Short mmCIF file of all heavy atoms in Angstrom, two decimals:
data_model
loop_
_atom_site.label_atom_id
_atom_site.label_comp_id
_atom_site.label_asym_id
_atom_site.label_seq_id
_atom_site.Cartn_x
_atom_site.Cartn_y
_atom_site.Cartn_z
N PRO X 42 121.42 92.97 87.14
CA PRO X 42 122.16 91.72 86.95
C PRO X 42 122.94 91.28 88.19
O PRO X 42 123.12 90.09 88.41
CB PRO X 42 123.11 92.02 85.79
CG PRO X 42 123.03 93.46 85.52
CD PRO X 42 121.84 94.01 86.23
N GLU X 43 123.37 92.22 89.02
CA GLU X 43 124.06 91.87 90.26
C GLU X 43 123.04 91.89 91.40
O GLU X 43 122.95 92.84 92.17
CB GLU X 43 125.21 92.84 90.53
CG GLU X 43 126.34 92.70 89.52
CD GLU X 43 127.51 93.59 89.86
OE1 GLU X 43 127.94 93.59 91.03
OE2 GLU X 43 127.97 94.29 88.95
N ILE X 44 122.27 90.81 91.49
CA ILE X 44 121.15 90.75 92.43
C ILE X 44 121.59 91.02 93.87
O ILE X 44 120.82 91.54 94.66
CB ILE X 44 120.42 89.40 92.27
CG1 ILE X 44 119.73 89.37 90.90
CG2 ILE X 44 119.40 89.19 93.38
CD1 ILE X 44 119.05 88.08 90.56
N SER X 45 122.83 90.72 94.19
CA SER X 45 123.32 90.96 95.55
C SER X 45 123.32 92.44 95.92
O SER X 45 123.39 92.78 97.10
CB SER X 45 124.72 90.38 95.71
OG SER X 45 125.64 91.04 94.85
N LEU X 46 123.23 93.34 94.95
CA LEU X 46 123.16 94.78 95.22
C LEU X 46 121.81 95.20 95.78
O LEU X 46 121.67 96.28 96.35
CB LEU X 46 123.45 95.59 93.95
CG LEU X 46 124.84 95.50 93.36
CD1 LEU X 46 124.90 96.33 92.07
CD2 LEU X 46 125.88 96.01 94.35
N VAL X 47 120.79 94.37 95.58
CA VAL X 47 119.43 94.72 96.00
C VAL X 47 119.20 94.16 97.41
O VAL X 47 119.27 92.96 97.62
CB VAL X 47 118.39 94.16 95.02
CG1 VAL X 47 116.99 94.57 95.44
CG2 VAL X 47 118.69 94.62 93.60
N PRO X 48 118.92 95.05 98.38
CA PRO X 48 118.70 94.57 99.74
C PRO X 48 117.49 93.63 99.83
O PRO X 48 116.53 93.75 99.08
CB PRO X 48 118.43 95.85 100.53
CG PRO X 48 118.74 96.98 99.64
CD PRO X 48 118.79 96.48 98.24
N SER X 49 117.57 92.71 100.76
CA SER X 49 116.50 91.71 100.91
C SER X 49 115.19 92.31 101.41
O SER X 49 114.14 91.69 101.28
CB SER X 49 116.95 90.58 101.85
OG SER X 49 117.27 91.11 103.11
N ASP X 50 115.23 93.52 101.97
CA ASP X 50 114.00 94.14 102.46
C ASP X 50 113.20 94.84 101.36
O ASP X 50 112.13 95.38 101.62
CB ASP X 50 114.28 95.10 103.61
CG ASP X 50 115.13 96.29 103.22
OD1 ASP X 50 115.78 96.26 102.15
OD2 ASP X 50 115.15 97.27 103.99
N ILE X 51 113.71 94.82 100.13
CA ILE X 51 112.95 95.35 99.00
C ILE X 51 111.90 94.31 98.65
O ILE X 51 112.23 93.17 98.33
CB ILE X 51 113.87 95.62 97.78
CG1 ILE X 51 114.93 96.66 98.11
CG2 ILE X 51 113.05 96.03 96.56
CD1 ILE X 51 114.45 98.08 98.21
N ASN X 52 110.64 94.69 98.74
CA ASN X 52 109.55 93.71 98.59
C ASN X 52 108.93 93.71 97.20
O ASN X 52 107.71 93.74 97.06
CB ASN X 52 108.47 93.97 99.64
CG ASN X 52 108.99 93.72 101.04
OD1 ASN X 52 109.73 92.77 101.27
ND2 ASN X 52 108.63 94.57 101.97
N VAL X 53 109.79 93.71 96.18
CA VAL X 53 109.32 93.59 94.80
C VAL X 53 110.19 92.55 94.11
O VAL X 53 111.32 92.30 94.54
CB VAL X 53 109.37 94.94 94.03
CG1 VAL X 53 108.46 95.97 94.68
CG2 VAL X 53 110.77 95.46 93.91
N PRO X 54 109.70 91.96 93.03
CA PRO X 54 110.53 90.99 92.30
C PRO X 54 111.78 91.66 91.73
O PRO X 54 111.76 92.81 91.31
CB PRO X 54 109.61 90.53 91.16
CG PRO X 54 108.23 90.88 91.59
CD PRO X 54 108.35 92.07 92.47
N VAL X 55 112.87 90.90 91.72
CA VAL X 55 114.14 91.36 91.16
C VAL X 55 114.49 90.44 90.00
O VAL X 55 114.47 89.21 90.15
CB VAL X 55 115.27 91.35 92.22
CG1 VAL X 55 116.58 91.81 91.60
CG2 VAL X 55 114.89 92.22 93.41
N PHE X 56 114.79 91.03 88.86
CA PHE X 56 115.11 90.27 87.65
C PHE X 56 116.54 90.58 87.23
O PHE X 56 116.96 91.73 87.28
CB PHE X 56 114.14 90.64 86.52
CG PHE X 56 112.72 90.33 86.86
CD1 PHE X 56 111.90 91.31 87.41
CD2 PHE X 56 112.19 89.07 86.65
CE1 PHE X 56 110.59 91.03 87.75
CE2 PHE X 56 110.88 88.78 86.99
CZ PHE X 56 110.07 89.76 87.53
N PRO X 57 117.28 89.57 86.77
CA PRO X 57 118.67 89.80 86.36
C PRO X 57 118.82 90.42 84.98
O PRO X 57 119.91 90.83 84.61
CB PRO X 57 119.29 88.40 86.40
CG PRO X 57 118.14 87.48 86.19
CD PRO X 57 116.95 88.16 86.79
N SER X 58 117.73 90.51 84.22
CA SER X 58 117.82 91.10 82.87
C SER X 58 116.47 91.64 82.44
O SER X 58 115.42 91.24 82.95
CB SER X 58 118.28 90.05 81.85
OG SER X 58 117.27 89.09 81.64
N LEU X 59 116.51 92.56 81.47
CA LEU X 59 115.26 93.09 80.90
C LEU X 59 114.46 91.97 80.23
O LEU X 59 113.23 91.93 80.33
CB LEU X 59 115.55 94.19 79.88
CG LEU X 59 115.86 95.56 80.45
CD1 LEU X 59 116.37 96.49 79.35
CD2 LEU X 59 114.63 96.15 81.10
N THR X 60 115.16 91.05 79.58
CA THR X 60 114.48 89.93 78.90
C THR X 60 113.68 89.12 79.91
O THR X 60 112.51 88.81 79.67
CB THR X 60 115.51 89.04 78.19
OG1 THR X 60 116.21 89.82 77.22
CG2 THR X 60 114.84 87.86 77.50
N GLU X 61 114.29 88.81 81.05
CA GLU X 61 113.56 88.04 82.06
C GLU X 61 112.40 88.84 82.64
O GLU X 61 111.34 88.28 82.92
CB GLU X 61 114.51 87.56 83.15
CG GLU X 61 115.44 86.47 82.64
CD GLU X 61 116.20 85.76 83.74
OE1 GLU X 61 115.63 85.56 84.83
OE2 GLU X 61 117.36 85.41 83.49
N PHE X 62 112.58 90.14 82.80
CA PHE X 62 111.49 90.98 83.28
C PHE X 62 110.32 90.95 82.29
O PHE X 62 109.18 90.69 82.67
CB PHE X 62 111.97 92.42 83.49
CG PHE X 62 110.85 93.41 83.68
CD1 PHE X 62 110.10 93.41 84.84
CD2 PHE X 62 110.55 94.33 82.69
CE1 PHE X 62 109.06 94.32 85.02
CE2 PHE X 62 109.52 95.25 82.86
CZ PHE X 62 108.77 95.23 84.03
N PHE X 63 110.60 91.19 81.00
CA PHE X 63 109.53 91.22 80.00
C PHE X 63 108.88 89.84 79.85
O PHE X 63 107.67 89.75 79.67
CB PHE X 63 110.05 91.71 78.66
CG PHE X 63 110.38 93.19 78.65
CD1 PHE X 63 111.62 93.63 78.18
CD2 PHE X 63 109.49 94.13 79.09
CE1 PHE X 63 111.93 94.99 78.17
CE2 PHE X 63 109.78 95.48 79.09
CZ PHE X 63 111.01 95.92 78.63
N ASN X 64 109.64 88.77 79.94
CA ASN X 64 109.09 87.43 79.80
C ASN X 64 108.30 86.98 81.02
O ASN X 64 107.52 86.03 80.94
CB ASN X 64 110.20 86.41 79.53
CG ASN X 64 110.77 86.54 78.13
OD1 ASN X 64 110.15 87.11 77.24
ND2 ASN X 64 111.97 86.02 77.93
N SER X 65 108.47 87.67 82.14
CA SER X 65 107.80 87.26 83.38
C SER X 65 106.31 87.61 83.41
O SER X 65 105.57 87.05 84.20
CB SER X 65 108.48 87.92 84.58
OG SER X 65 108.12 89.30 84.66
N GLY X 66 105.93 88.56 82.59
CA GLY X 66 104.55 89.02 82.64
C GLY X 66 104.32 90.10 83.68
O GLY X 66 103.20 90.55 83.87
N SER X 67 105.37 90.52 84.37
CA SER X 67 105.24 91.62 85.34
C SER X 67 104.80 92.87 84.60
O SER X 67 105.19 93.10 83.46
CB SER X 67 106.57 91.89 86.03
OG SER X 67 106.87 90.87 86.92
N LYS X 68 104.02 93.68 85.27
CA LYS X 68 103.47 94.88 84.65
C LYS X 68 104.15 96.13 85.18
O LYS X 68 104.41 96.26 86.37
CB LYS X 68 101.96 94.98 84.92
CG LYS X 68 101.17 93.79 84.45
CD LYS X 68 101.19 93.68 82.95
CE LYS X 68 100.34 92.52 82.49
NZ LYS X 68 100.62 92.09 81.16
N ALA X 69 104.45 97.05 84.27
CA ALA X 69 104.96 98.37 84.64
C ALA X 69 104.52 99.35 83.57
O ALA X 69 104.52 99.03 82.39
CB ALA X 69 106.48 98.35 84.74
N ASP X 70 104.11 100.52 84.01
CA ASP X 70 103.76 101.59 83.08
C ASP X 70 105.01 102.34 82.64
O ASP X 70 105.06 102.87 81.53
CB ASP X 70 102.79 102.58 83.75
CG ASP X 70 101.50 101.90 84.20
OD1 ASP X 70 100.85 101.26 83.35
OD2 ASP X 70 101.17 102.01 85.40
N VAL X 71 106.00 102.37 83.52
CA VAL X 71 107.24 103.10 83.27
C VAL X 71 108.42 102.22 83.67
O VAL X 71 108.38 101.59 84.73
CB VAL X 71 107.29 104.40 84.10
CG1 VAL X 71 108.60 105.13 83.91
CG2 VAL X 71 106.11 105.30 83.79
N VAL X 72 109.44 102.18 82.83
CA VAL X 72 110.71 101.56 83.20
C VAL X 72 111.74 102.67 83.26
O VAL X 72 112.05 103.30 82.24
CB VAL X 72 111.15 100.46 82.20
CG1 VAL X 72 112.51 99.91 82.58
CG2 VAL X 72 110.12 99.33 82.14
N SER X 73 112.24 102.95 84.46
CA SER X 73 113.28 103.97 84.63
C SER X 73 114.62 103.33 84.33
O SER X 73 115.03 102.38 85.01
CB SER X 73 113.28 104.49 86.08
OG SER X 73 112.09 105.18 86.36
N VAL X 74 115.31 103.83 83.31
CA VAL X 74 116.63 103.31 82.95
C VAL X 74 117.66 104.03 83.79
O VAL X 74 117.94 105.21 83.58
CB VAL X 74 116.90 103.48 81.45
CG1 VAL X 74 118.28 102.96 81.10
CG2 VAL X 74 115.83 102.76 80.63
N CYS X 75 118.22 103.32 84.77
CA CYS X 75 119.15 103.90 85.71
C CYS X 75 120.50 103.19 85.65
O CYS X 75 121.23 103.12 86.64
CB CYS X 75 118.58 103.81 87.12
SG CYS X 75 117.01 104.67 87.32
N THR X 76 120.83 102.69 84.48
CA THR X 76 122.11 102.04 84.28
C THR X 76 123.17 103.13 84.08
O THR X 76 122.84 104.28 83.82
CB THR X 76 122.06 101.13 83.04
OG1 THR X 76 121.67 101.90 81.90
CG2 THR X 76 121.06 100.00 83.23
N PRO X 77 124.45 102.77 84.17
CA PRO X 77 125.49 103.77 83.92
C PRO X 77 125.31 104.41 82.54
O PRO X 77 124.84 103.75 81.60
CB PRO X 77 126.78 102.95 83.98
CG PRO X 77 126.46 101.81 84.89
CD PRO X 77 125.02 101.48 84.58
N ASN X 78 125.66 105.67 82.41
CA ASN X 78 125.42 106.43 81.19
C ASN X 78 125.91 105.73 79.93
O ASN X 78 125.24 105.74 78.91
CB ASN X 78 126.06 107.82 81.27
CG ASN X 78 125.35 108.70 82.26
OD1 ASN X 78 124.20 108.48 82.60
ND2 ASN X 78 126.04 109.71 82.74
N PHE X 79 127.07 105.09 79.98
CA PHE X 79 127.60 104.46 78.77
C PHE X 79 126.82 103.23 78.34
O PHE X 79 127.02 102.71 77.24
CB PHE X 79 129.10 104.11 78.95
CG PHE X 79 129.35 102.98 79.91
CD1 PHE X 79 129.45 101.67 79.45
CD2 PHE X 79 129.51 103.22 81.27
CE1 PHE X 79 129.71 100.63 80.33
CE2 PHE X 79 129.76 102.18 82.16
CZ PHE X 79 129.87 100.88 81.67
#
Side-chain angles (χ1 to χ4, degrees):
E43 292 185 48
I44 293 176
S45 63
L46 294 177
V47 182
S49 59
D50 64 343
I51 299 286
N52 295 320
V53 298
V55 179
F56 299 94
S58 70
L59 281 170
T60 300
E61 290 192 36
F62 167 71
F63 289 129
N64 288 340
S65 75
S67 288
K68 302 294 182 199
D70 300 306
V71 177
V72 176
S73 295
V74 179
C75 300
T76 56
N78 290 339
F79 70 93

